């Protein structure tokens, strides 16, 4: 019930291509879905986030698509650049039993964008 | 505004020892969460503190503990270290406990247990 399943584990795309990372969840109590980007030696940083009352959110080259009925969401990176090479984590957030907001992370996707 | 800071950045310990990691949240942030990151298990939630109180705890043994001070700075302690405790320990802070406020992560402390 607490898991967020992420795929693929690794992804290699050419510069200018589209990178797509998928996530699925089970717990319908999740109500906020952020994506984090992590570079080596750094902590994760929020990239973009969506709430389940919308089906899509776009910020620059990054788009989240959300399918509430299927309990799936995905990150699309358009015109992928070598600088986008990083590990991407999807996450799902809910209010836990301690009345606090808690994040559950996917397993991560190592994205490599070839020049 | 300074980001989340964690000290030390790197730490090497031997089995059986204990370790204390420190986290200073962004000024004004009162919620601090700790995560363990390993290649095999990914990012796993350890515990969260708000106003000096632990609000929730992940599925980790009692060897993992933490506390938060009145200035919102937080420490986590791991006693009787095991090889499997080798990981990147991340601290994240946010403004409030319940809102959608973004969690800001520090760079982490890389713990190696020999």
């Amino acid at each position: 019930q607490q898991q967020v399943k992420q795929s693929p584990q690794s992804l290699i795309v050419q510069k200018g291509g589209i990178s797509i990372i998928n996530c699925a969840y089970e717990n319908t109590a999740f109500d906020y879905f952020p994506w984090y980007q992590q570079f080596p030696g750094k902590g994760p940083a929020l990239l973009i986030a969506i709430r389940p009352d919308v089906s899509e959110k776009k910020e620059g080259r990054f788009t989240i698509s959300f399918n509430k009925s299927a309990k799936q969401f995905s990150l699309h990176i358009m015109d992928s650049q070598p600088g986008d090479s990083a590990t991407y984590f999807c996450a799902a957030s809910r209010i836990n039993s301690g009345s606090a907001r808690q994040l559950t992370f996917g397993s991560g996707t190592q994205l490599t964008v070839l020049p | 505004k300074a980001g989340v800071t964690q000290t030390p950045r790197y730490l090497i310990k031997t089995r059986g020892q204990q370790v204390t990691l420190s986290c200073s949240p962004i000024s004004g942030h009162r919620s601090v969460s700790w995560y363990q990151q390993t290649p095999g298990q990914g990012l796993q939630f350890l515990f969260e503190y708000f106003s000096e109180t632990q609000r929730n705890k992940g599925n980790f043994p009692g060897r993992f503990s933490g506390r938060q001070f009145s200035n919102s700075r937080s420490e986590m302690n791991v006693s009787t270290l095991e090889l499997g405790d080798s990981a990147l320990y991340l601290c994240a802070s946010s403004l409030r406990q319940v809102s959608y406020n973004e969690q800001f992560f520090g760079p982490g402390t890389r713990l190696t247990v020999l």
Side-chain angles (χ1 to χ4, degrees), chain A residues 27-48:
Chain A
N27 191 341
T28 55
F30 289 133
D31 62 357
Y32 178 65
F33 301 87
W35 284 87
Y36 284 82
Q37 179 188 56
Q38 185 177 29
F39 292 104
K42 304 285 187 182
L46 180 67
L47 189 61
I48 186 173

Side-chain angles (χ1 to χ4, degrees), chain B residues 1-22:
Chain B
K1 201 179 230 186
V4 177
T5 57
Q6 292 187 246
T7 57
R9 290 294 311 277
Y10 303 91
L11 207 49
I12 299 175
K13 293 285 187 179
T14 56
R15 279 183 298 173
Q17 287 187 307
Q18 77 166 20
V19 67
T20 299
L21 312 181
S22 181

Side-chain angles (χ1 to χ4, degrees), chain A residues 16-34:
Chain A
I18 301 174
S19 303
I20 301 174
I21 304 171
N22 300 300
C23 286
Y25 63 98
E26 290 292 327
N27 191 341
T28 55
F30 289 133
D31 62 357
Y32 178 65
F33 301 87

Side-chain angles (χ1 to χ4, degrees), chain A residues 77-100:
Chain A
I77 306 175
M78 311 299 289
D79 186 26
S80 299
Q81 300 296 314
D84 296 331
S85 297
T87 301
Y88 292 80
F89 293 93
C90 63
S93 175
R94 66 180 181 90
I95 304 295
N96 61 31
S97 57
S99 300

Side-chain angles (χ1 to χ4, degrees), chain A residues 31-32 36 38 41-44 46 51 89 95-103 105, chain B residues 9 35 37 42-43 45 48 55-56 88 90 97-100 102-107:
Chain A
D31 62 357
Y32 178 65
Y36 284 82
Q38 185 177 29
K42 304 285 187 182
L46 180 67
R51 300 181 192 182
F89 293 93
I95 304 295
N96 61 31
S97 57
S99 300
R101 185 157 287 283
Q102 180 176 334
L103 279 173
F105 285 88
Chain B
R9 290 294 311 277
Y35 296 85
Q37 185 175 20
L43 276 155
F45 173 74
E48 191 235 353
R55 297 294 179 170
N56 198 37
L88 180 67
L90 291 160
Q97 204 184 11
V98 177
S99 75
Y100 294 111
E102 174 184 353
Q103 284 200 4
F104 292 84
F105 284 83

